[in-house]
Amino acid sequence: MEKQILILGAGYGGVKTACGLQRQDIPFTLVNDQPYHQFTTLMHEVAGGRDHPDDYRIALHDLIDPRVGKIRIGTVSAIDWKGRRVQVDGASLEYDVLVVALGSETEFFGIPGLQKYSVQLWGFDSALDIRRRMVELVKKATAEHPVNVIVGGGGLTGVELTGELADWIPHLSRQYGVRPEHVHLILIEAMETILPMLDVELQRRAKQVLEQKGVQVRTGTKVAEVKDGQVIVDGHPPLSYSLFIWTGGVRGNRLLGENGFPVDRKGRVPVDPVFHPKGISDVFVIGDCAAFPGPDGRPLPPTAQLATQMGDHLAQNIGHLLKGTPLNAFHPHLRGTLASLGRGQGIGKVGNWKLAGATARFLKEANKARYLWSIGGWKTFSRKRGQIRLA
Ligand code: NAD
């Protein structure tokens, strides 16, 4: 009898698994709460008003061939891995093989008021929300009532978003006849540097580029509490904000822990080299909700780069599973990190090469093109290449 393969989540890991199964003609059902796959790593561009928002998502029915894959739009509310069934909007879906690729969610660290008063850059809708709010705020900026946009958390998400907003503000100001100096953009980071995961040289370079674009970069500034219109930071006077965007960290999707999967302190499920959680052999967990050990034994960071590799690998392994041949262990290719610093510049490290400026930006744009091609070939590439700027 045909095995029921259920994939939860149409992010980078889930979509790559689905596309890989499709290429092998292996039937599956893909469950997602939205009818599209969004390019999550580019949401700062949506928030920063760069291109048409629809260039940053693709309808699932344009990716999945109905002769091979079924699409089920709904929200997963429970995973019964002992009874091999999943609850989706009140319906119970049975499976023989389950792929959990439900991604991560914002980490609020229990900071009082943070969830209530901040907006987060979390997917397409929230990116559009930030985009709309920015327009409304900039329109109203005056010398007496300047606008303060604060981004909390100077990791890759916060830095990419800040770079994008910094480039957009002068355009927006011109459009609405407002002076750009009446719109303040402030990036606050708890550590002594932004991008603490990168080399010192790249950290300095990123800070310099942001400051040249008019961003106030405040390091050693830890958010302790958020009130209506005010961020309380340790050891400094409170900061007033018109918009506070929190980009201070992520944790694994809460559904995993809530449904009895063993999770680490970041809510991610430790997995073995073929992505099984310990002792659960008909479930694979990949992407941001998996804690896969890196070369030093510590879990690798949750990135799209890894999620896509995991999805490709898992699709091959499911092919082996159905044929009864042994599964192959996953060996990640850690190619490096590339981050944009606005529309014309980037920063990053690929192998031992430290990159900055237009080269890093070019490689980042080339990555977008490669990804589009990998999920849907020419058809997808030609439809969605609007956000790619290779020249
Ligand atoms: P992160 O955890 O990497 O960075 C969050 C930042 O917020 C940290 O620098 C942290 O010190 C700071 N912070 C935490 N609490 C704070 C507080 N109370 N006050 C002020 N600052 C505080 O989170 P992220 O940037 O969202 O990234 C999440 C994951 O996604 C990472 O693994 C990252 O590598 C990946 N990512 C990659 C890219 C890329 O490759 N271009 C882009 C975005 C995200």
Side-chain angles (χ1 to χ4, degrees):
M1 214 177 70
E2 192 177 90
K3 293 255 188 208
Q4 296 295 325
I5 300 171
L6 198 57
I7 304 170
L8 307 183
Y12 291 101
V15 155
K16 279 293 212 167
T17 308
C19 292
L21 293 178
Q22 187 160 277
R23 276 193 287 275
Q24 302 170 77
D25 264 332
I26 298 173
F28 60 88
T29 301
L30 175 62
V31 181
N32 199 46
D33 55 359
Q34 304 289 346
Y36 53 79
H37 165 58
Q38 61 191 16
F39 308 142
T40 308
T41 57
L42 304 179
M43 286 303 127
H44 55 279
E45 294 186 10
V46 177
R50 202 186 299 197
D51 289 307
H52 194 285
D54 281 339
D55 288 339
Y56 296 87
R57 59 179 175 173
I58 182 160
L60 292 176
H61 62 72
D62 282 335
L63 282 178
I64 305 301
D65 180 345
R67 289 167 298 183
V68 189
K70 290 194 192 104
I71 299 165
R72 174 97 188 204
I73 306 304
T75 303
V76 178
S77 55
I79 305 171
D80 172 9
W81 49 270
K82 291 186 181 135
R84 289 186 175 183
R85 52 183 74 235
V86 172
Q87 291 294 321
V88 179
D89 285 347
S92 179
L93 307 186
E94 295 185 356
Y95 66 81
D96 299 300
V97 176
L98 181 69
V99 176
V100 184
L102 287 167
S104 45
E105 56 189 47
T106 305
E107 173 69 274
F108 294 102
F109 301 109
I111 297 172
L114 181 54
Q115 186 164 4
K116 180 170 177 193
Y117 293 112
S118 69
V119 296
Q120 299 96 45
L121 183 61
W122 203 255
F124 191 79
D125 291 341
S126 65
L128 264 188
D129 179 44
I130 293 174
R131 185 175 174 133
R132 289 193 197 107
R133 285 174 190 249
M134 283 298 298
V135 173
E136 291 312 310
L137 284 171
V138 170
K139 273 184 192 172
K140 287 189 266 174
T142 59
E144 299 74 42
H145 300 287
V147 160
N148 276 357
V149 177
I150 302 185
V151 176
L156 285 160
T157 307
V159 165
E160 288 195 313
L161 175 65
T162 308
E164 204 66 35
L165 294 178
D167 280 351
W168 193 31
I169 287 169
H171 291 277
L172 266 183
S173 305
R174 222 174 297 125
Q175 196 176 340
Y176 293 105
V178 163
R179 294 177 72 101
E181 59 269 29
H182 297 155
V183 183
H184 305 153
L185 181 56
I186 305 160
L187 175 64
I188 56 181
E189 162 59 48
M191 312 282 276
E192 289 309 318
T193 172
I194 56 167
L195 300 176
M197 69 296 292
L198 290 185
D199 297 16
V200 175
E201 199 185 322
L202 293 174
Q203 292 167 355
R204 273 203 213 112
R205 181 71 188 254
K207 182 166 183 269
Q208 194 184 26
V209 170
L210 292 179
E211 286 177 341
Q212 278 164 357
K213 289 175 193 269
V215 178
Q216 296 175 41
V217 179
R218 300 195 186 179
T219 53
T221 305
K222 186 172 180 186
V223 176
E225 187 180 349
V226 186
K227 295 182 178 172
D228 191 7
Q230 261 195 345
V231 183
I232 312 298
V233 288
D234 282 348
H236 300 273
L239 301 168
S240 299
Y241 67 85
S242 323
L243 177 64
F244 179 57
I245 311 171
W246 176 243
T247 57
V250 297
R251 56 182 292 107
N253 192 308
R254 71 186 59 222
L255 265 183
L256 281 296
E258 284 172 4
N259 285 278
F261 285 93
V263 289
D264 65 11
R265 66 185 177 83
K266 290 195 167 175
R268 303 200 282 156
V269 179
V271 292
D272 70 12
V274 296
F275 310 130
H276 287 317
K278 200 171 186 311
I280 314 178
S281 63
D282 44 15
V283 176
F284 298 97
V285 182
I286 59 167
D288 281 12
C289 50
F292 191 91
D296 59 1
R298 299 211 326 252
L300 290 170
T303 62
Q305 183 190 140
L306 267 179
T308 52
Q309 290 180 25
M310 288 174 162
D312 280 339
H313 187 85
L314 178 57
Q316 294 300 318
N317 263 351
I318 292 177
H320 291 306
L321 183 76
L322 299 185
K323 283 188 224 133
T325 51
L327 306 194
N328 293 322
F330 175 65
H331 297 289
H333 301 290
L334 304 174
R335 299 201 182 98
T337 302
L338 285 170
S340 75
L341 296 172
R343 299 180 185 200
Q345 300 194 58
I347 202 161
K349 198 172 175 195
V350 178
N352 286 326
W353 294 83
K354 286 177 201 160
L355 303 166
T359 319
R361 185 199 70 94
F362 177 84
L363 286 179
K364 179 120 180 151
E365 298 293 311
N367 270 348
K368 293 181 190 174
R370 199 166 58 125
Y371 178 69
L372 289 177
W373 193 276
S374 79
I375 54 171
W378 171 250
K379 192 177 121 197
T380 302
F381 176 74
S382 58
R383 278 190 192 171
K384 297 295 166 184
R385 67 183 161 174
Q387 22 104 357
I388 299 169
R389 300 272 177 276
L390 286 175

